[in-house]
Amino acid sequence: MDYGIELRDQEAVVRLRGRLTFNDHAKLRVLIGEMTQNAAKRQVLDLSSLEFVDSAGIGMLLIAREEMANTGKQFMLRAATGQVKRVLTVAQIAKIVQIED
């Protein structure tokens, strides 16, 4: 997994690319740290370039949501497609995390 962060007003858009799996745990922890440190109140994970996510990746997304809530930030997922969208749907993540198409 790779990522880039774009800050716009009160929104930080994080574009995830590649595959989000158990092996990305350390990278995602660094990303979560960056998200908690930036000034934007709304943190958006853009999943449009994410090709694959496994159950560990889903767990890491939930950890990110929890960390954002602990720092008073809004967290949401955006633009999931293909396998990623199917996994999010099956896991019923929309009951916990706001998802935009």
Side-chain angles (χ1 to χ4, degrees):
M1 177 205 68
D2 191 19
Y3 66 88
I5 301 175
E6 179 182 338
L7 295 172
R8 307 179 195 155
D9 298 323
Q10 289 298 308
E11 182 175 87
V13 178
V14 180
R15 287 190 170 74
L16 299 183
R17 294 179 291 275
R19 301 167 59 87
L20 180 57
T21 67
F22 177 78
N23 295 332
D24 297 303
H25 181 64
K27 242 189 232 184
L28 197 67
R29 275 289 178 196
V30 170
L31 171 58
I32 290 169
E34 291 179 37
M35 292 169 70
T36 59
Q37 295 301 312
N38 73 50
K41 293 292 182 196
R42 182 177 162 118
Q43 304 290 316
V44 178
L45 289 187
D46 182 328
L47 307 178
S48 60
S49 296
L50 194 65
E51 301 163 2
F52 177 86
V53 65
D54 65 7
S55 59
I58 294 294
M60 289 184 281
L61 293 176
L62 295 177
I63 290 169
R65 183 201 67 80
E66 184 176 336
E67 292 291 328
M68 294 311 108
N70 290 342
T71 58
K73 296 182 182 231
Q74 182 184 9
F75 178 77
M76 65 175 301
L77 304 175
R78 180 181 289 161
T81 61
Q83 185 269 355
V84 175
K85 187 171 188 170
R86 286 190 299 278
V87 169
L88 293 176
T89 300
V90 168
Q92 299 182 7
I93 296 302
K95 290 183 177 181
I96 302 167
V97 178
Q98 181 182 349
I99 300 177
E100 268 185 8
D101 282 330

